């Protein structure tokens, strides 16, 4: 017995992890794939009906699906871009020495720690067109009040602002950690060479920080693509379908229309998009010669 | 490598929603299992309910609704009477649909009693085999359904199969601000034309008061728009054909959208009932149309700053008369896979008994029993003008507030698109043509 264990020790040690991956990841993905080739409305009486690629065909002819892809990318690109720029700026500021730095850093983390649904509910009140503080603020600046989440044109920017508010600290935090661990010598050399502050940043800080920034962006990218909680808590995809991203549309198809096959097909496409983008991003990073 | 793994892991998180369904595989193998009646064969030997039975606990999955709040304090009585304990899980409407459908589809045995919306989920759930038939139980004591309002009972039947008992009924009434109307020397409007005139007169954005508020959000707006549609002489469908492209429907959509666009507060596109009531109870709107069953939100001083200034009127008449919906909004049924159907039935019987419904109705929850409505105690807690409005409504009411079909969710969204277009002042005719086509596509799959 002990002999057997010793002989197979490498399998035994990895077994729990393998099982976990199989049960929690491979099975659901495989099952979703299987469902995506079927038509099923969650019935206990009528079993799933094989329809081959019909669900995919229907999706690609569905205006709302194509809209939702566009909205997902719009949201992700805009939010992650703004978060990255602001995050780096904030990290640079917080890398300076000033009084109360510890306190500022702690306060900074608060949006990130709050649960997204609670954040959504708070922002609903902020954006409320009649009594919300956002309009009070605008009026103080002499700008006419807006409808924010209730306006088909303004709903996406409003949602992006919430995401930026919540997740910029994360980028700032990762970049700050990168900044702190940068070597000192290149800076001393730069000073000797007479480089000004901007040149030091452009030619030393930024290149050295690249791997850190890449990681932060990749993490945010994947998360932002999948955003569900904030949007569901504030607009449920509305007004109309103006903020119906892929994830929200998947939910609607599955749990409001009972079209499990189509919802699964949508999730498979979504899965491919997220996976594809992640791989692309990793390749880009490798090409840029950044190693982790 | 490490990164790839991370990406995979994060991506697979997408499937969290589907995870809940994974248990279904196991259930699918079993095929369609029948709701085996678990009544003892004889029936006679059980003539006297045996309180000495071992203690049972049943699970009630319910909505966050005044009915649930009302029944909770009464549960100890039920336990004392029958020895059956009731565990209550409650969720918001949409989550309730999601939660219960996933559990039922997974063939879970853990839902004994379920609260559901007959017009929204009823047909889908019944078609999917989620409900136990109540026919066997009722056939033992047929008199039990005699007191139920017939149209309410009809809402929980498919053919001859009875799959639920009605809990809550509601009709659309006009809520208005007595003080504002009085100051302007107006009487509550009797027609939709008068409503529009008065809403125009009372709209004063500078004072932060708008003439009219109601639901404008895509799907939730459809039910509250339905009374307008009927009162203009339109309907959602006729003999399996979508009828949203009729001139009557166009008029109704333009009227409702125009009312919200011209005399409504900003932001109506995102308003379901909590938001619309929010505007009204903050004193920012003169008129509100919504379900009668929600009236305590407007008249409870802890929720409403205009609690003592709210009046009620019957739904105003349109070109085709006053045709508000009058529906059974909530019902309870027994889960098809429940192993405690007898106990669940005891609960259903108790919760819909005259005594319990009477107690609930005394706190403002309108039930579906004729005798309770006829008794003075049944309506004692309701404002007098609300009782009058409900009674006036019942003469000409329509028993549905959304299309009576299986795939209600998709149909509501298709119709809601046109309500949204009307509120935004877009080309309503074009929007309706599209809605009609989408709605017809839904009907074609039924």
């Amino acid at each position: 017995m002990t002999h057997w264990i010793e002989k197979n020790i490498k399998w035994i040690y990895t077994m729990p992890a393998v099982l976990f991956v199989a049960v929690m990841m491979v099975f659901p993905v495989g099952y979703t794939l299987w469902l995506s080739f079927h038509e099923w409305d969650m019935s206990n009486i009528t079993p799933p009906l094989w329809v081959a690629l019909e669900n995919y065909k229907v999706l690609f002819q569905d205006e709302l699906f194509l809209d939702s892809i566009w909205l997902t990318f719009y949201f992700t690109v805009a939010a992650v871009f703004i978060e990255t720029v602001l995050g780096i700026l904030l990290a640079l500021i917080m890398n300076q020495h000033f009084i109360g730095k510890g306190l500022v850093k702690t306060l900074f983390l608060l949006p990130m720690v709050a649960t997204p649904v609670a954040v959504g509910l708070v922002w609903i009140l902020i954006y409320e067109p009649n009594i919300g503080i956002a309009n009070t603020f605008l009026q103080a600046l002499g700008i006419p009040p807006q409808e924010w989440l209730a306006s088909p044109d303004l709903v996406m920017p409003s949602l992006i602002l919430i995401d930026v508010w919540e997740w910029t600290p994360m980028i700032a935090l990762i970049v700050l950690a990168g900044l702190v661990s940068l070597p000192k010598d290149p800076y001393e050399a730069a000073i000797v060479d007479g480089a000004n502050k901007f040149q030091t940043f452009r030619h030393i800080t930024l290149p050295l920080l690249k791997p850190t920034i890449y990681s932060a962006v990749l993490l945010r990218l994947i998360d932002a693509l999948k955003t569900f909680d904030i949007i569901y808590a504030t607009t449920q995809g509305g007004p109309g379908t103006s903020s119906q991203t892929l994830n929200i549309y998947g939910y609607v198809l599955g749990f409001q229309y009972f079209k499990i096959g189509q919802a699964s097909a949508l999730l498979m496409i979504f899965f491919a998009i997220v996976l594809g983008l992640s791989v692309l991003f990793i390749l880009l990073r490798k090409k840029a010669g950044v190693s982790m | 490598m490490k990164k790839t793994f991370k990406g995979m892991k994060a991506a697979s998180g997408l499937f969290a929603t589907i995870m809940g369904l994974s248990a279904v595989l196991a259930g699918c193998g079993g095929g369609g299992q029948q709701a085996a009646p678990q009544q003892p064969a004889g029936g006679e030997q059980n003539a006297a309910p045996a309180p000495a039975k071992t203690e049972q606990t049943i699970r009630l999955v319910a909505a966050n609704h005044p009915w649930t709040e009302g029944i909770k304090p009464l549960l100890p009585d039920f336990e004392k009477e029958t020895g059956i304990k009731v565990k209550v899980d409650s969720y918001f409407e949409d989550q309730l649909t999601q939660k219960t459908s996933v559990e039922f589809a997974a063939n879970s045995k853990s839902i004994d009693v379920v609260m559901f919306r007959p017009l929204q989920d009823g047909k889908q759930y019944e078609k999917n085999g989620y409900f136990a038939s109540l026919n066997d139980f009722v056939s033992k004591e047929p008199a039990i359904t005699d007191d139920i309002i017939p149209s309410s009972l009809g809402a929980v039947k498919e053919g001859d199969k009875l799959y639920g008992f009605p809990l809550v009924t509601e009709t659309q009434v006009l809520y208005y601000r007595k003080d504002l109307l009085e100051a302007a020397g107006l009487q509550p409007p009797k027609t939709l034309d008068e409503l529009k005139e008065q809403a125009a007169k009372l709209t004063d954005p500078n004072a932060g008061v708008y003439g009219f508020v109601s639901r404008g959000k895509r799907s939730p707006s459809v039910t509250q728009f339905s009374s307008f549609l009927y009162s203009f002489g339109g309907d959602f469908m006729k003999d399996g054909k979508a009828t949203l492209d009729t001139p009557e429907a166009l008029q109704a959509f333009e009227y409702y959208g125009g009312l919200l666009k011209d005399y409504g507060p900003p932001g109506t596109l995102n308003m379901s009932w909590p938001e619309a009531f929010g505007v009204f109870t903050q004193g920012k709107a003169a008129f509100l149309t919504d379900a009668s069953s929600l009236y305590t939100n407007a008249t409870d001083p802890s929720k409403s700053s205009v609690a003592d200034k709210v009046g009620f009127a019957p739904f105003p008449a349109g070109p085709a008369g006053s045709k508000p919906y009058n529906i059974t909004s909530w019902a309870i049924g027994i889960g098809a896979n429940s192993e405690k159907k007898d106990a669940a039935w005891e609960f259903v019987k108790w919760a819909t008994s005259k005594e319990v419904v009477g107690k609930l109705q005394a706190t403002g929850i309108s039930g579906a029993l004729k005798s309770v409505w006829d008794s003075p105690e049944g309506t004692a807690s309701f404002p007098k003008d609300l009782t009058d409005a409900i009674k006036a409504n019942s003469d000409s009411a329509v028993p549905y507030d959304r299309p009576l079909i299986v795939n209600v969710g998709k149909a509501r969204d298709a119709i809601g698109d046109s309500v949204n277009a009307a509120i935004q002042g877009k080309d309503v005719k074009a929007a309706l043509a599209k809605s009609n086509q989408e709605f017809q596509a839904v009907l074609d799959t039924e």
Side-chain angles (χ1 to χ4, degrees):
Chain A
M1 186 65 194
T2 37
H3 178 69
W4 184 85
I5 290 179
E6 261 167 34
K7 202 174 151 198
N8 293 295
I9 197 83
K10 58 180 174 182
W11 302 114
I12 291 169
Y13 274 136
T14 49
M15 211 53 212
V18 171
L19 271 179
F20 180 83
V21 170
V23 172
M24 303 305 284
M25 295 173 203
V26 178
F27 174 72
V29 175
Y31 185 57
T32 307
L33 181 68
W34 182 82
L35 272 178
S36 74
F37 299 123
H38 291 78
E39 192 181 301
W40 186 50
D41 54 9
M42 293 175 81
S43 173
N44 283 349
I45 298 169
T46 325
L49 176 76
W50 170 264
V51 293
L53 290 171
E54 184 62 25
N55 286 327
Y56 291 89
K57 218 174 99 191
V58 169
L59 274 183
F60 280 107
Q61 288 162 352
D62 182 354
E63 230 175 90
L64 288 177
F65 170 71
L66 301 175
D67 277 356
S68 71
I69 292 186
W70 152 243
L71 288 174
T72 306
F73 277 97
Y74 172 23
F75 179 84
T76 305
V77 172
V80 174
F81 179 77
I82 299 172
E83 282 159 22
T84 309
V85 174
L86 286 182
I88 294 172
L89 277 176
L90 283 169
L92 288 172
I93 293 170
M94 286 205 289
N95 199 30
Q96 311 297 314
H97 292 283
F98 57 88
I99 302 164
K101 187 173 157 183
L103 183 70
V104 171
K105 258 184 177 169
T106 315
L107 285 178
F108 222 74
L109 288 178
L110 289 182
M112 223 170 91
V113 179
T115 48
V117 172
V119 168
L121 294 177
V122 169
W123 278 90
I124 285 182
L125 293 178
I126 293 175
Y127 280 144
E128 216 290 323
N130 299 293
I131 54 167
I133 197 166
N135 275 347
T136 315
F137 187 70
L138 284 192
Q139 268 161 335
L141 294 175
I143 303 170
Q146 301 294 322
E147 295 196 1
W148 303 105
L149 295 171
S151 149
D153 303 319
L154 222 56
V155 63
M156 287 308 287
S158 305
L159 286 171
I160 289 166
L161 181 60
I162 302 179
D163 199 72
V164 167
W165 177 83
E166 185 167 19
W167 292 112
T168 300
M170 192 186 101
I171 303 238
L173 196 73
I174 298 176
V175 174
L176 186 61
L179 276 175
V180 172
S181 62
L182 288 185
K184 297 273 176 291
D185 337 3
Y187 290 94
E188 285 161 11
I191 292 170
V192 172
D193 288 344
N196 65 26
K197 275 210 156 140
F198 178 74
Q199 283 167 328
T200 331
F201 173 73
R202 172 77 188 75
H203 295 289
I204 300 178
T205 312
L206 212 49
L208 285 175
L209 267 183
K210 243 185 188 172
T212 319
I213 295 173
Y214 265 110
S215 310
V217 170
L218 182 67
L219 282 175
R220 264 319 291 151
L221 188 76
I222 294 170
D223 255 7
L225 278 169
K226 295 188 307 176
T227 305
F228 179 83
D229 31 32
I230 291 177
I231 305 177
Y232 189 74
T234 49
T235 67
Q236 287 105 53
T241 53
S242 317
S243 62
Q244 190 166 270
T245 57
L246 273 169
N247 240 350
I248 301 279
Y249 194 40
Y251 178 87
V252 167
L253 280 176
F255 295 117
Q256 279 170 19
Y257 298 174
F258 287 84
K259 293 191 171 170
I260 299 297
Q262 264 182 49
S264 302
L266 180 141
L267 287 181
M268 286 319 296
I269 296 169
F270 196 5
F271 179 63
I273 291 176
V274 176
L275 196 65
L277 271 181
S278 311
V279 171
L280 188 78
F281 202 78
I282 291 163
L283 287 180
L284 275 180
R285 196 179 59 185
K286 274 205 184 123
K287 211 177 157 194
V290 184
S291 65
M292 281 298 286
Chain B
M1 189 55 215
K2 202 176 140 220
K3 273 284 144 187
T4 323
F5 178 67
K6 214 178 238 170
M8 286 284 291
K9 200 167 116 188
S12 67
L14 291 176
F15 294 85
T17 29
I18 289 302
M19 296 275 216
L21 296 177
S22 55
V24 172
L25 248 202
C28 281
Q33 59 202 89
Q34 268 141 31
Q38 297 186 340
Q39 282 289 79
E44 296 296 303
Q45 76 271 33
N46 251 22
K53 258 189 195 169
T54 48
E55 198 173 82
Q56 285 206 69
T57 304
I58 56 172
R59 176 163 169 248
L60 164 67
V61 183
N64 288 340
H65 186 274
W67 181 85
T68 315
E69 294 313 308
I71 202 82
K72 274 183 190 161
L74 304 178
L75 289 176
D77 298 347
F78 177 65
E79 198 187 325
K80 219 179 279 168
E81 259 173 58
T82 59
I84 300 166
K85 277 192 182 164
V86 183
K87 190 175 153 264
V88 185
D89 281 349
S90 57
Y91 304 91
F92 278 110
E93 295 177 15
D94 285 348
Q95 280 90 332
L96 178 72
T97 300
Q98 182 207 336
K99 174 87 187 148
T100 50
S101 56
V102 169
E103 272 200 47
F104 278 130
N107 273 314
S108 153
K109 296 181 170 61
S110 64
I111 300 182
D112 299 303
V113 182
V114 59
M115 184 170 171
F116 66 96
R117 294 174 285 178
L119 298 173
Q120 184 77 20
D121 308 316
K123 281 176 184 287
Q124 179 87 47
Y125 278 25
E126 161 57 19
K127 182 180 152 238
N128 285 357
Y130 297 170
F131 292 125
S133 165
L134 302 182
N135 292 27
D136 286 342
F137 293 115
V138 172
S139 65
K140 293 206 176 70
E141 34 198 329
I144 200 164
T145 56
D146 288 356
D147 196 19
I148 300 174
I149 298 170
S151 65
S152 285
L153 197 62
V156 285
K157 257 184 175 170
E158 188 69 43
D160 284 336
K161 180 180 170 185
L162 185 67
Y163 56 79
F165 265 48
L167 287 182
V168 182
T169 57
E170 59 190 35
T171 180
Q172 188 164 20
V173 292
L174 180 71
Y175 293 64
Y176 66 89
R177 282 276 301 283
K178 287 184 204 161
D179 54 330
L180 293 182
L181 264 70
E182 209 167 283
L186 299 168
Q187 289 295 317
K190 292 211 161 36
T191 65
L192 290 176
D193 285 339
E194 282 174 28
L195 174 64
K196 194 171 194 169
E197 265 168 44
Q198 297 192 6
K201 209 174 273 177
L202 294 170
T203 300
D204 183 4
N206 293 327
V209 176
Y210 297 88
F212 177 80
V213 67
S214 179
R215 304 184 198 179
K217 200 170 182 167
R218 192 184 183 207
S219 173
S221 70
V222 173
T223 52
Q224 305 314 308
F225 163 71
S226 69
S227 301
F228 291 86
L229 180 63
Y230 310 146
S231 299
F232 270 93
D235 202 339
F236 296 114
M237 55 194 265
K238 201 180 175 211
D239 306 324
K241 285 269 166 273
T243 54
L244 299 173
D245 55 353
T246 58
E248 293 85 13
L250 176 66
Q251 264 187 309
F253 277 92
E254 278 179 338
Y255 175 88
Y256 186 76
L259 214 50
L260 284 176
K261 178 167 74 82
D262 299 333
Y263 316 119
T268 49
L269 281 181
N270 254 1
M271 288 188 186
S272 181
W273 73 263
E275 293 83 9
F277 270 83
V279 172
F280 186 74
T281 56
Q282 291 286 319
K284 289 178 177 290
F287 294 107
L288 161 77
T289 52
D290 212 301
S292 56
S293 60
L294 296 169
Y295 82 90
T296 48
N297 288 290
T299 56
D300 178 348
S302 69
K303 292 177 184 165
S304 170
S305 64
V306 292
D308 55 340
K309 299 172 186 134
V310 178
F312 299 89
F315 192 79
S322 165
K323 289 196 161 176
Y325 68 75
N326 188 354
I327 57 150
T328 304
S329 50
W330 289 96
I332 43 174
I334 297 179
N337 291 324
S338 163
E339 286 171 331
K340 298 167 190 158
K341 292 204 183 69
D342 289 338
W345 169 245
E346 288 302 321
F347 178 77
V348 170
K349 247 184 354 185
W350 172 80
T352 56
S353 67
K354 191 177 166 186
E355 195 200 338
V356 173
V357 175
K359 275 184 197 165
L360 291 175
Q361 194 149 320
T363 66
I365 302 157
S366 39
L369 293 186
K370 286 182 278 189
S371 61
V372 174
W373 278 108
D374 288 341
S375 71
E377 302 86 50
T379 50
S381 70
F382 289 59
K384 167 102 180 40
D385 50 352
L386 177 62
T387 316
D388 292 344
I390 293 173
K391 279 199 179 128
N393 267 0
S394 65
D395 294 337
S396 54
V398 179
Y400 52 89
D401 62 353
R402 64 203 88 182
L404 280 175
I405 56 174
V406 176
N407 211 330
V408 184
K410 173 101 181 152
R412 268 179 91 157
D413 277 349
I415 299 162
D417 281 340
S418 282
V419 177
N420 281 180
I423 296 172
Q424 292 172 71
K426 290 190 183 158
D427 182 350
V428 185
K429 205 170 177 183
L432 276 173
K434 189 160 172 278
S435 292
N436 201 58
Q437 197 186 349
E438 284 173 18
F439 180 35
Q440 185 62 50
V442 175
L443 292 178
D444 291 341
T445 62
E446 293 275 312

